[in-house]
């Protein structure tokens, strides 16, 4: 979406290790996303990661397919993403840990989604 990282920047290409060539990468506005995937229609479920106050990703049952929205470390997900989100999810943290960086949070969330889908 507008205002996010360029999917084809050199750092993104390197960090994705070539997945750009195996998966479709589509750039859309939030208006286009909402038109393609209207909220509460069941054709795509959007989960937005939030630092606190969301449903525990460990306890949620997954409905598929899921689009996971991970925000930047400084500002989190955008207002538009939160408005479109079907579920705001939080990764439970223990001890004095305040937050995770976006890459780690996204990886944990994707793993948990994949783990739940393997059970179904």
């Amino acid at each position: 979406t507008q205002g996010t990282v360029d999917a084809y920047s050199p750092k993104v290409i390197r960090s994705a290790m070539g997945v750009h060539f195996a998966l479709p990468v589509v750039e859309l506005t939030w208006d286009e996303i909402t038109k393609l995937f209207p909220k509460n229609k069941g054709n795509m479920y959007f989960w937005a990661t939030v630092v606190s106050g969301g449903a525990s990703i460990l306890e949620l049952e997954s409905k598929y397919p899921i689009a996971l929205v991970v925000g930047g470390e400084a500002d989190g997900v955008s207002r538009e993403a939160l408005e479109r989100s079907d579920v705001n999810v939080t990764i439970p943290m223990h001890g004095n840990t305040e937050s995770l960086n976006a890459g780690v949070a996204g990886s944990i969330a994707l793993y948990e989604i994949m783990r739940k889908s393997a059970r179904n």
Side-chain angles (χ1 to χ4, degrees), residues 3-119:
T4 62
V5 68
D6 177 8
Y8 296 97
S9 73
K11 285 184 178 181
V12 172
I13 295 284
R14 277 193 308 272
S15 69
M17 299 298 291
V19 76
H20 287 69
F21 308 109
L23 296 173
V25 177
V26 180
E27 296 179 15
L28 301 170
T29 66
W30 279 107
D31 286 339
E32 292 169 327
I33 290 168
T34 301
K35 286 178 186 168
L36 282 172
F37 306 106
K39 192 169 183 172
N40 301 320
K41 295 293 184 190
N43 57 355
M44 177 75 70
Y45 294 89
F46 282 73
W47 288 10
T49 58
V50 293
V51 173
S52 62
S56 169
I57 196 162
L58 302 177
E59 296 172 8
L60 278 174
E61 285 304 317
S62 302
K63 295 180 181 178
Y64 293 91
I66 292 173
L68 179 67
V69 182
V70 179
E73 292 140 26
D75 299 320
V77 297
S78 68
R79 177 187 50 77
E80 295 90 353
L82 289 173
E83 288 172 1
R84 174 54 190 86
S85 175
D86 296 298
V87 179
N88 294 339
V89 298
T90 300
I91 298 169
M93 306 295 287
H94 299 286
N96 294 328
T97 306
E98 292 180 12
S99 66
L100 302 168
N101 79 23
V104 171
S107 297
I108 291 169
L110 288 171
Y111 178 81
E112 188 63 19
I113 291 166
M114 186 268 325
R115 188 181 70 79
K116 289 172 192 251
S117 71
R119 291 190 310 208

